[in-house]
Amino acid sequence: QVQLVESGGGLVQAGGSLRLSCTTSGRTSFSTYAMGWFRQAPGKEREFVASIWWTGDITYYADSVKGRFTISRDNAKNTVYLQMNSLKPEDTAVYYCASKTGVVSTRAAAYNYWGQGTQVTVSS
């Protein structure tokens, strides 16, 4: 079974930065998995934030975070990161990392494994 554990969430003022981490363990070859970050705000559906191909050289971003967030991965540490800069109150949500075999995707339904989520709160 694959386990994903997110960390790095917290409370930050608008304009600030946070870096989320997601470490994977279990029966997996992390380096062959595509990884994604999603978020869910209260009363809203889970939405795509960013994803990264297993090689690390192909990434996708939601338009709402493009230019502010950066996804990266360290396959030696089985960890994927989400660097979030210039945070806005509308970025407030629970952030989830997810993994899947095969090609990278922006669709939540395509991902096989999910973390428990980490809360990010941006105050105005």
mmCIF file of all heavy atoms in Angstrom, residues 76-104:
data_model
loop_
_atom_site.group_PDB
_atom_site.id
_atom_site.type_symbol
_atom_site.label_atom_id
_atom_site.label_comp_id
_atom_site.label_asym_id
_atom_site.label_seq_id
_atom_site.Cartn_x
_atom_site.Cartn_y
_atom_site.Cartn_z
ATOM 1 N N ALA A 76 15.128 10.962 -5.161
ATOM 2 C CA ALA A 76 15.989 10.305 -4.181
ATOM 3 C C ALA A 76 15.374 10.350 -2.783
ATOM 4 O O ALA A 76 15.661 9.492 -1.943
ATOM 5 C CB ALA A 76 17.358 10.962 -4.163
ATOM 6 N N LYS A 77 14.514 11.343 -2.549
ATOM 7 C CA LYS A 77 13.861 11.492 -1.245
ATOM 8 C C LYS A 77 12.392 11.096 -1.275
ATOM 9 O O LYS A 77 11.685 11.268 -0.277
ATOM 10 C CB LYS A 77 13.982 12.944 -0.767
ATOM 11 C CG LYS A 77 15.410 13.396 -0.501
ATOM 12 C CD LYS A 77 15.442 14.822 0.021
ATOM 13 C CE LYS A 77 16.880 15.249 0.332
ATOM 14 N NZ LYS A 77 16.943 16.649 0.836
ATOM 15 N N ASN A 78 11.932 10.600 -2.425
ATOM 16 C CA ASN A 78 10.517 10.211 -2.567
ATOM 17 C C ASN A 78 9.586 11.349 -2.175
ATOM 18 O O ASN A 78 8.538 11.128 -1.539
ATOM 19 C CB ASN A 78 10.200 8.973 -1.707
ATOM 20 C CG ASN A 78 10.832 7.713 -2.245
ATOM 21 O OD1 ASN A 78 11.417 7.711 -3.329
ATOM 22 N ND2 ASN A 78 10.741 6.641 -1.487
ATOM 23 N N THR A 79 9.944 12.543 -2.566
ATOM 24 C CA THR A 79 9.214 13.722 -2.107
ATOM 25 C C THR A 79 8.895 14.647 -3.271
ATOM 26 O O THR A 79 9.726 14.846 -4.165
ATOM 27 C CB THR A 79 10.028 14.480 -1.041
ATOM 28 O OG1 THR A 79 10.259 13.612 0.072
ATOM 29 C CG2 THR A 79 9.270 15.705 -0.554
ATOM 30 N N VAL A 80 7.694 15.198 -3.237
ATOM 31 C CA VAL A 80 7.283 16.228 -4.176
ATOM 32 C C VAL A 80 6.992 17.496 -3.376
ATOM 33 O O VAL A 80 6.523 17.424 -2.240
ATOM 34 C CB VAL A 80 6.062 15.792 -5.012
ATOM 35 C CG1 VAL A 80 4.851 15.555 -4.126
ATOM 36 C CG2 VAL A 80 5.745 16.802 -6.096
ATOM 37 N N TYR A 81 7.295 18.639 -3.968
ATOM 38 C CA TYR A 81 7.151 19.920 -3.285
ATOM 39 C C TYR A 81 6.201 20.830 -4.057
ATOM 40 O O TYR A 81 6.040 20.701 -5.276
ATOM 41 C CB TYR A 81 8.503 20.619 -3.175
ATOM 42 C CG TYR A 81 9.563 19.796 -2.484
ATOM 43 C CD1 TYR A 81 10.485 19.065 -3.232
ATOM 44 C CD2 TYR A 81 9.649 19.749 -1.101
ATOM 45 C CE1 TYR A 81 11.468 18.308 -2.613
ATOM 46 C CE2 TYR A 81 10.626 18.993 -0.466
ATOM 47 C CZ TYR A 81 11.522 18.273 -1.234
ATOM 48 O OH TYR A 81 12.494 17.515 -0.616
ATOM 49 N N LEU A 82 5.613 21.761 -3.339
ATOM 50 C CA LEU A 82 4.851 22.831 -3.960
ATOM 51 C C LEU A 82 5.272 24.134 -3.295
ATOM 52 O O LEU A 82 4.911 24.395 -2.142
ATOM 53 C CB LEU A 82 3.344 22.612 -3.800
ATOM 54 C CG LEU A 82 2.472 23.624 -4.533
ATOM 55 C CD1 LEU A 82 2.617 23.457 -6.058
ATOM 56 C CD2 LEU A 82 1.005 23.499 -4.127
ATOM 57 N N GLN A 83 6.065 24.918 -4.008
ATOM 58 C CA GLN A 83 6.473 26.232 -3.529
ATOM 59 C C GLN A 83 5.392 27.233 -3.904
ATOM 60 O O GLN A 83 5.084 27.377 -5.092
ATOM 61 C CB GLN A 83 7.806 26.637 -4.139
ATOM 62 C CG GLN A 83 8.280 28.021 -3.723
ATOM 63 C CD GLN A 83 8.607 28.123 -2.244
ATOM 64 O OE1 GLN A 83 9.256 27.242 -1.699
ATOM 65 N NE2 GLN A 83 8.168 29.196 -1.602
ATOM 66 N N MET A 84 4.834 27.893 -2.912
ATOM 67 C CA MET A 84 3.733 28.819 -3.142
ATOM 68 C C MET A 84 4.162 30.216 -2.738
ATOM 69 O O MET A 84 4.442 30.467 -1.557
ATOM 70 C CB MET A 84 2.499 28.389 -2.333
ATOM 71 C CG MET A 84 2.077 26.948 -2.599
ATOM 72 S SD MET A 84 0.543 26.496 -1.754
ATOM 73 C CE MET A 84 1.064 26.636 -0.046
ATOM 74 N N ASN A 85 4.228 31.116 -3.700
ATOM 75 C CA ASN A 85 4.620 32.502 -3.471
ATOM 76 C C ASN A 85 3.446 33.428 -3.782
ATOM 77 O O ASN A 85 2.487 33.030 -4.449
ATOM 78 C CB ASN A 85 5.814 32.863 -4.345
ATOM 79 C CG ASN A 85 7.042 32.024 -4.055
ATOM 80 O OD1 ASN A 85 7.268 31.597 -2.917
ATOM 81 N ND2 ASN A 85 7.852 31.779 -5.068
ATOM 82 N N SER A 86 3.555 34.642 -3.300
ATOM 83 C CA SER A 86 2.524 35.660 -3.551
ATOM 84 C C SER A 86 1.133 35.114 -3.240
ATOM 85 O O SER A 86 0.199 35.244 -4.037
ATOM 86 C CB SER A 86 2.590 36.131 -5.012
ATOM 87 O OG SER A 86 3.855 36.657 -5.313
ATOM 88 N N LEU A 87 1.004 34.512 -2.092
ATOM 89 C CA LEU A 87 -0.255 33.866 -1.731
ATOM 90 C C LEU A 87 -1.379 34.874 -1.575
ATOM 91 O O LEU A 87 -1.163 36.024 -1.140
ATOM 92 C CB LEU A 87 -0.083 33.066 -0.440
ATOM 93 C CG LEU A 87 0.630 31.719 -0.640
ATOM 94 C CD1 LEU A 87 1.185 31.195 0.676
ATOM 95 C CD2 LEU A 87 -0.316 30.713 -1.263
ATOM 96 N N LYS A 88 -2.573 34.440 -1.939
ATOM 97 C CA LYS A 88 -3.773 35.258 -1.882
ATOM 98 C C LYS A 88 -4.800 34.582 -0.967
ATOM 99 O O LYS A 88 -4.769 33.358 -0.799
ATOM 100 C CB LYS A 88 -4.369 35.402 -3.277
ATOM 101 C CG LYS A 88 -3.425 35.939 -4.323
ATOM 102 C CD LYS A 88 -4.075 35.928 -5.698
ATOM 103 C CE LYS A 88 -3.121 36.436 -6.764
ATOM 104 N NZ LYS A 88 -3.744 36.427 -8.111
ATOM 105 N N PRO A 89 -5.716 35.352 -0.415
ATOM 106 C CA PRO A 89 -6.760 34.735 0.428
ATOM 107 C C PRO A 89 -7.521 33.628 -0.300
ATOM 108 O O PRO A 89 -7.925 32.645 0.332
ATOM 109 C CB PRO A 89 -7.665 35.917 0.772
ATOM 110 C CG PRO A 89 -6.745 37.087 0.759
ATOM 111 C CD PRO A 89 -5.777 36.824 -0.361
ATOM 112 N N GLU A 90 -7.704 33.763 -1.598
ATOM 113 C CA GLU A 90 -8.431 32.735 -2.356
ATOM 114 C C GLU A 90 -7.642 31.443 -2.527
ATOM 115 O O GLU A 90 -8.168 30.457 -3.046
ATOM 116 C CB GLU A 90 -8.862 33.265 -3.730
ATOM 117 C CG GLU A 90 -7.763 33.920 -4.530
ATOM 118 C CD GLU A 90 -7.748 35.435 -4.381
ATOM 119 O OE1 GLU A 90 -7.898 35.940 -3.241
ATOM 120 O OE2 GLU A 90 -7.564 36.129 -5.409
ATOM 121 N N ASP A 91 -6.382 31.430 -2.084
ATOM 122 C CA ASP A 91 -5.603 30.181 -2.076
ATOM 123 C C ASP A 91 -5.894 29.347 -0.834
ATOM 124 O O ASP A 91 -5.411 28.212 -0.723
ATOM 125 C CB ASP A 91 -4.102 30.488 -2.129
ATOM 126 C CG ASP A 91 -3.675 31.129 -3.440
ATOM 127 O OD1 ASP A 91 -4.151 30.694 -4.502
ATOM 128 O OD2 ASP A 91 -2.850 32.068 -3.382
ATOM 129 N N THR A 92 -6.661 29.883 0.091
ATOM 130 C CA THR A 92 -7.006 29.157 1.310
ATOM 131 C C THR A 92 -7.766 27.890 0.969
ATOM 132 O O THR A 92 -8.788 27.925 0.280
ATOM 133 C CB THR A 92 -7.844 30.051 2.242
ATOM 134 O OG1 THR A 92 -7.039 31.151 2.676
ATOM 135 C CG2 THR A 92 -8.322 29.264 3.453
ATOM 136 N N ALA A 93 -7.262 26.750 1.455
ATOM 137 C CA ALA A 93 -7.862 25.457 1.157
ATOM 138 C C ALA A 93 -7.065 24.370 1.883
ATOM 139 O O ALA A 93 -5.987 24.629 2.412
ATOM 140 C CB ALA A 93 -7.853 25.185 -0.346
ATOM 141 N N VAL A 94 -7.610 23.170 1.846
ATOM 142 C CA VAL A 94 -6.826 21.989 2.207
ATOM 143 C C VAL A 94 -6.130 21.515 0.940
ATOM 144 O O VAL A 94 -6.775 21.338 -0.099
ATOM 145 C CB VAL A 94 -7.710 20.867 2.787
ATOM 146 C CG1 VAL A 94 -6.868 19.634 3.083
ATOM 147 C CG2 VAL A 94 -8.423 21.349 4.053
ATOM 148 N N TYR A 95 -4.834 21.332 1.030
ATOM 149 C CA TYR A 95 -4.038 20.923 -0.116
ATOM 150 C C TYR A 95 -3.697 19.442 0.009
ATOM 151 O O TYR A 95 -3.227 18.983 1.064
ATOM 152 C CB TYR A 95 -2.763 21.757 -0.204
ATOM 153 C CG TYR A 95 -3.010 23.135 -0.748
ATOM 154 C CD1 TYR A 95 -3.693 24.093 -0.006
ATOM 155 C CD2 TYR A 95 -2.579 23.484 -2.024
ATOM 156 C CE1 TYR A 95 -3.950 25.356 -0.511
ATOM 157 C CE2 TYR A 95 -2.818 24.756 -2.539
ATOM 158 C CZ TYR A 95 -3.507 25.672 -1.774
ATOM 159 O OH TYR A 95 -3.751 26.928 -2.294
ATOM 160 N N TYR A 96 -3.922 18.727 -1.086
ATOM 161 C CA TYR A 96 -3.690 17.293 -1.132
ATOM 162 C C TYR A 96 -2.656 16.969 -2.205
ATOM 163 O O TYR A 96 -2.676 17.541 -3.286
ATOM 164 C CB TYR A 96 -4.969 16.543 -1.493
ATOM 165 C CG TYR A 96 -6.109 16.718 -0.531
ATOM 166 C CD1 TYR A 96 -7.023 17.758 -0.692
ATOM 167 C CD2 TYR A 96 -6.291 15.838 0.525
ATOM 168 C CE1 TYR A 96 -8.087 17.926 0.189
ATOM 169 C CE2 TYR A 96 -7.347 15.988 1.417
ATOM 170 C CZ TYR A 96 -8.238 17.029 1.228
ATOM 171 O OH TYR A 96 -9.286 17.181 2.107
ATOM 172 N N CYS A 97 -1.770 16.023 -1.895
ATOM 173 C CA CYS A 97 -0.932 15.487 -2.955
ATOM 174 C C CYS A 97 -1.489 14.122 -3.361
ATOM 175 O O CYS A 97 -2.182 13.460 -2.583
ATOM 176 C CB CYS A 97 0.533 15.386 -2.550
ATOM 177 S SG CYS A 97 0.919 14.109 -1.357
ATOM 178 N N ALA A 98 -1.182 13.738 -4.566
ATOM 179 C CA ALA A 98 -1.696 12.495 -5.116
ATOM 180 C C ALA A 98 -0.689 11.917 -6.091
ATOM 181 O O ALA A 98 0.124 12.651 -6.666
ATOM 182 C CB ALA A 98 -3.030 12.745 -5.825
ATOM 183 N N SER A 99 -0.751 10.602 -6.270
ATOM 184 C CA SER A 99 0.170 9.944 -7.194
ATOM 185 C C SER A 99 -0.594 9.005 -8.120
ATOM 186 O O SER A 99 -1.676 8.522 -7.784
ATOM 187 C CB SER A 99 1.243 9.176 -6.435
ATOM 188 O OG SER A 99 0.675 8.072 -5.735
ATOM 189 N N LYS A 100 -0.011 8.769 -9.263
ATOM 190 C CA LYS A 100 -0.615 7.873 -10.245
ATOM 191 C C LYS A 100 0.469 7.264 -11.100
ATOM 192 O O LYS A 100 1.540 7.838 -11.281
ATOM 193 C CB LYS A 100 -1.613 8.612 -11.143
ATOM 194 C CG LYS A 100 -0.975 9.641 -12.045
ATOM 195 C CD LYS A 100 -2.005 10.342 -12.928
ATOM 196 C CE LYS A 100 -2.741 9.423 -13.869
ATOM 197 N NZ LYS A 100 -1.883 8.793 -14.887
ATOM 198 N N THR A 101 0.185 6.105 -11.634
ATOM 199 C CA THR A 101 1.069 5.515 -12.630
ATOM 200 C C THR A 101 0.717 6.099 -13.987
ATOM 201 O O THR A 101 -0.340 6.711 -14.177
ATOM 202 C CB THR A 101 0.890 3.995 -12.671
ATOM 203 O OG1 THR A 101 -0.490 3.695 -12.903
ATOM 204 C CG2 THR A 101 1.317 3.360 -11.354
ATOM 205 N N GLY A 102 1.617 5.948 -14.916
ATOM 206 C CA GLY A 102 1.330 6.412 -16.264
ATOM 207 C C GLY A 102 1.565 7.904 -16.427
ATOM 208 O O GLY A 102 2.321 8.526 -15.691
ATOM 209 N N VAL A 103 0.863 8.472 -17.379
ATOM 210 C CA VAL A 103 1.115 9.857 -17.766
ATOM 211 C C VAL A 103 0.565 10.818 -16.723
ATOM 212 O O VAL A 103 -0.353 10.481 -15.968
ATOM 213 C CB VAL A 103 0.501 10.168 -19.146
ATOM 214 C CG1 VAL A 103 1.128 9.266 -20.200
ATOM 215 C CG2 VAL A 103 -1.010 9.997 -19.132
ATOM 216 N N VAL A 104 1.118 12.010 -16.691
ATOM 217 C CA VAL A 104 0.651 13.028 -15.775
ATOM 218 C C VAL A 104 -0.752 13.458 -16.182
ATOM 219 O O VAL A 104 -1.142 13.372 -17.348
ATOM 220 C CB VAL A 104 1.634 14.221 -15.779
ATOM 221 C CG1 VAL A 104 1.607 14.942 -17.107
ATOM 222 C CG2 VAL A 104 1.356 15.158 -14.626
#
